[in-house]
C-alpha cells in the first residue's frame, strides 16, 4: 500500500475512533482523550517523511506530560525509521504489534437476523461494552463522549440471548469504506461463531450505506481472530506498533 493510501486509511480510522482533542504539528497528529485507549492518546505521523528532531520530539510529547500521561508513539510506515531507533535508545518499549487489514465487501458479508445494529448506543449496549472491554470506571464518561462524537453513519451492533447482550461490535462508514472496531464476545458465548456473524453483518450494513471495502485493526498475536478475517478476504496492508516510556 502506498504512503498516500496509508494516509487515507489512517485518516478514516482517526475519524472513526475520534479523540476528544486533536492537534497537528510538523506533519504529526497528537491525539488526546484523557488516557482512554492508546489509539486516541498517541502521537501519529500523518505525512510520509515527517520532520523529526529532538526538539520536535519534546514538543510533540509536551501536552501528554503536562497532563500527567505517558507520551505514546504509534508508529506506522509513515513514520521515519529513525524514530523507532531513537525511542528504543531512550528506553521506550515496543508493544502491541498490530495489523491493518483490508477486504472487498463481497457476498461473504451477509446480514445475520440475530445481529441488531442501531444508529445510537443504548444504555444497555454501553454497559455491556464497558464490561467486556473492560473500561475503567473513570474512563466511562470519556468513552461515551467519544462514541457520541463519531460522525454518522455509525452502527452499534450486538447479539442478545434472553434479553442479555452477549457480543458487540462497532461499524463506521466513511465514503466507500466501513471500519470494523472492537468485536467483543462474552466468555460464556465464545466458540459459537458470534464474532463471524458480527463481522459479516457490519460488512453487509456498511455495503447498505455505500461502502465497497472494509478495514480493521487487529493485534498480530490475536490467533483467534486472524483465521476468521482471512476467510472473509481480509489481507494485511500495513503494520504499526506502539512505543511507550
Amino acid at each position: 500500500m502506498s504512503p498516500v493510501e496509508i494516509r487515507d486509511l489512517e485518516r478514516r480510522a482517526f475519524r472513526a475512533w475520534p479523540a476528544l482533542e486533536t492537534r497537528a504539528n510538523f506533519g504529526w497528529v497528537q491525539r488526546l482523550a484523557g488516557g482512554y485507549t492508546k489509539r486516541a492518546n498517541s502521537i501519529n505521523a500523518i505525512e510520509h517523511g515527517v520532520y523529526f528532531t529532538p526538539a520536535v520530539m519534546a514538543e510533540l510529547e509536551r501536552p501528554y506530560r503536562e497532563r500527567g500521561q505517558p507520551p505514546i508513539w504509534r508508529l506506522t510506515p509513515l513514520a521515519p525509521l529513525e524514530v523507532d531507533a531513537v525511542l528504543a535508545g531512550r528506553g521506550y518499549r515496543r508493544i502491541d504489534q498490530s495489523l491493518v487489514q483490508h477486504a472487498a465487501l463481497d457476498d461473504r458479508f451477509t446480514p445475520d437476523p440475530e445481529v441488531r445494529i442501531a444508529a445510537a448506543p443504548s444504555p444497555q449496549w454501553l454497559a455491556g461494552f464497558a464490561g467486556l472491554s473492560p473500561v475503567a470506571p473513570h474512563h466511562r464518561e470519556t468513552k461515551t463522549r467519544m462514541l457520541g462524537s463519531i460522525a454518522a453513519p455509525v452502527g452499534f451492533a450486538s447479539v442478545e440471548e434472553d434479553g442479555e447482550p452477549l457480543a458487540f461490535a462497532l461499524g463506521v462508514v466513511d465514503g466507500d469504506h466501513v471500519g470494523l472496531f472492537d468485536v467483543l464476545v462474552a466468555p460464556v458465548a465464545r466458540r459459537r461463531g458470534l464474532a463471524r456473524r458480527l463481522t459479516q453483518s457490519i460488512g453487509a450494513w456498511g455495503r447498505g450505506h455505500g461502502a465497497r471495502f472494509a478495514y480493521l485493526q487487529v493485534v498480530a498475536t490475536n490467533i483467534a481472530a486472524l483465521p476468521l478475517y482471512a476467510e472473509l478476504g481480509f489481507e494485511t496492508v500495513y503494520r504499526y506498533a506502539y512505543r511507550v516510556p
Side-chain angles (χ1 to χ4, degrees):
M1 182 168 275
S2 71
V4 172
E5 291 170 316
I6 292 173
R7 181 184 64 186
D8 179 67
L9 207 51
E10 285 287 287
R11 286 178 168 166
R12 292 182 195 274
F14 289 166
R15 291 190 291 266
W17 193 256
L20 297 183
E21 181 182 353
T22 301
R23 303 180 183 184
N25 283 300
F26 312 108
W28 296 83
V29 171
Q30 299 152 290
R31 310 184 76 220
L32 300 109
Y36 174 55
T37 79
K38 296 188 298 298
R39 272 182 292 172
N41 292 272
S42 58
I43 302 165
N44 301 261
I46 200 61
E47 300 291 343
H48 184 56
V50 291
Y51 193 54
F52 183 77
T53 66
V56 167
M57 177 178 174
E59 180 63 21
L60 292 174
E61 290 190 341
R62 181 177 54 80
Y64 302 92
R65 297 192 183 279
E66 288 177 347
R67 290 163 171 77
Q69 294 179 220
I72 299 171
W73 294 77
R74 182 174 168 274
L75 302 179
T76 72
L78 297 178
L81 292 177
E82 65 265 25
V83 178
D84 191 56
V86 168
L87 294 173
R90 297 194 180 195
Y92 285 56
R93 294 181 298 116
R94 186 178 178 91
I95 64 170
D96 291 353
Q97 173 80 19
S98 300
L99 314 176
V100 178
Q101 298 196 325
H102 192 265
L105 290 174
D106 55 25
D107 57 9
R108 284 174 287 191
F109 293 87
T110 55
D112 187 296
E114 294 186 10
V115 175
R116 299 181 181 180
I117 301 179
S122 67
Q124 188 180 32
W125 193 98
L126 290 170
F129 181 87
L132 290 180
S133 296
V135 181
H138 63 280
H139 282 149
R140 294 194 178 190
E141 181 183 355
T142 299
K143 176 209 65 177
T144 301
R145 289 174 61 195
M146 287 170 59
L147 292 175
S149 66
I150 301 172
V154 54
F156 297 88
S158 63
V159 177
E160 296 183 359
E161 186 175 89
D162 298 327
E164 293 296 324
L166 296 178
F168 304 86
L170 178 69
V172 183
V173 171
D174 188 331
D176 62 354
H177 280 68
V178 59
L180 174 70
F181 295 89
D182 290 337
V183 178
L184 302 172
V185 179
V188 297
R190 289 174 185 165
R191 301 184 181 276
R192 290 168 46 182
L194 294 183
R196 175 186 296 274
R197 291 157 60 188
L198 284 165
T199 301
Q200 292 173 309
S201 294
I202 287 289
W205 170 86
R207 190 164 52 185
H209 286 81
R212 297 186 300 117
F213 304 98
Y215 71 92
L216 56 86
Q217 301 166 343
V218 58
V219 176
T221 55
N222 190 342
I223 59 174
L226 291 174
L228 162 61
Y229 296 146
E231 289 175 18
L232 293 175
F234 283 94
E235 296 181 348
T236 298
V237 289
Y238 64 95
R239 301 166 182 259
Y240 68 86
Y242 294 95
R243 283 282 186 184
V244 299

